């Protein structure tokens, strides 16, 4: 029996996951709707497994997984997403996910993924293409290959996601409890490190990094 938290803002999908997990004997200890809520929940609850969507406001699922690794390193995370592109799948494993399944998987495969990850393994959705599987496998076994390119800090990734969502420096500061000047500092640093000149360039970077799909 595992203690499970569900992180998704689609109620119908969450209820389906809940029914399957409870039938398997697991306990749903919480349901949250964005990454900030997930990280906050982890700080005060004992959790074995988190099933996390990617596309959520304020802090998406990938950034949440990275933050969860800081506050609750023993928690195993599975991404369940509509996206099957190499960038997001690879990023998920690089940031610490132990499983990645698409929302089109069968009930049997969903159950199989849960079992594999809770047993200490990693799981890739069977409907992912061969090229995605190959690249994601490299992310699992050779994460050092990604260290040769510029890397966003956790705070920069939070700021960049909000830029991608169209937020101003003042709005970003209010959401992240920063001053507008500090938010602007992070914006300028990202521009400098990644060769971005305009806000449009930053939005494109946010999309490339899997932070937003705007």
């Amino acid at each position: 029996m595992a203690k499970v938290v569900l992180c998704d803002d689609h109620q119908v999908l969450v209820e389906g996951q809940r029914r399957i997990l409870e039938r398997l004997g697991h306990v749903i200890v919480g349901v949250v709707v964005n990454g900030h809520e997930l990280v906050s929940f982890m700080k005060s609850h004992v959790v074995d497994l988190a099933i996390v969507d990617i596309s959520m406001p304020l802090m998406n699922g990938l950034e949440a997984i990275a933050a969860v690794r800081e506050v609750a390193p023993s928690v195993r995370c599975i991404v369940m997403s509509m996206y099957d592109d190499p960038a997001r799948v690879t990023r998920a494993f690089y940031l610490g996910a132990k499983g990645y399944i698409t929302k089109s998987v069968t009930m049997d495969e969903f159950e199989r993924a849960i079992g594999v990850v809770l047993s200490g393994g990693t799981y890739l959705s069977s409907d992912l293409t061969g090229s995605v599987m190959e690249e994601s496998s490299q992310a699992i076994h050779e994460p050092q290959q990604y260290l040769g390119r510029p890397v966003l800090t956790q705070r920069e990734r939070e700021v960049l996601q909000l830029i991608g969502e169209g937020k101003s420096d003042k709005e970003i500061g209010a959401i992240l409890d920063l001053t507008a000047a500090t938010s602007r500092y992070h914006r300028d640093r990202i521009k400098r490190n990644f060769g971005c000149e305009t806000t449009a360039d930053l939005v494109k970077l946010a999309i490339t990094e899997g932070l937003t799909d705007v």
Side-chain angles (χ1 to χ4, degrees), residues 13-167:
L13 182 63
V14 166
E15 289 306 313
Q17 293 174 348
R18 181 196 295 273
R19 286 195 295 272
I20 295 172
L21 288 161
E22 289 179 343
R23 178 170 57 78
L24 293 173
H26 302 306
V27 177
I28 308 302
V29 294
V31 176
V32 296
V33 298
N34 63 56
H36 281 302
E37 288 189 8
L38 178 63
V39 176
S40 178
F41 186 88
M42 290 296 188
K43 292 178 180 179
S44 57
H45 294 79
V46 176
V47 177
D48 302 306
L49 176 70
I51 302 177
V52 186
D53 188 17
I54 287 181
S55 184
M56 295 180 292
L58 304 183
M59 178 189 282
N60 69 34
L62 297 184
E63 306 320 305
I65 288 172
V68 165
R69 297 280 292 174
E70 295 291 326
V71 300
S74 65
V75 174
R76 302 185 71 80
C77 297
I78 295 176
V79 171
M80 189 172 189
S81 174
M82 62 182 289
Y83 299 110
D84 61 0
D85 56 286
R88 286 185 175 88
V89 178
T90 301
R91 188 72 189 172
F93 282 105
Y94 178 61
L95 291 174
K98 300 302 181 183
Y100 194 109
I101 53 179
T102 66
K103 290 185 176 180
S104 61
V105 296
T106 64
M107 187 183 302
D108 286 343
E109 183 165 9
F110 179 74
E111 294 179 6
R112 185 162 59 252
I114 298 297
V116 169
V117 171
L118 285 175
S119 297
T122 56
Y123 192 91
L124 270 171
S125 191
S126 64
D127 59 354
L128 295 175
T129 65
S131 60
V132 173
M133 286 189 170
E134 181 179 355
E135 188 168 343
S136 300
S137 179
Q138 291 175 345
I140 297 170
H141 301 296
E142 302 175 25
Q144 66 274 13
Q145 70 173 311
Y146 297 98
L147 299 180
R149 63 181 179 85
V151 176
L152 292 160
T153 66
Q154 181 61 37
R155 179 62 80 191
E156 287 170 349
R157 295 185 70 82
E158 293 172 347
V159 169
L160 184 60
Q161 176 174 346
L162 294 171
I163 291 173
E165 294 176 1
K167 300 293 192 296

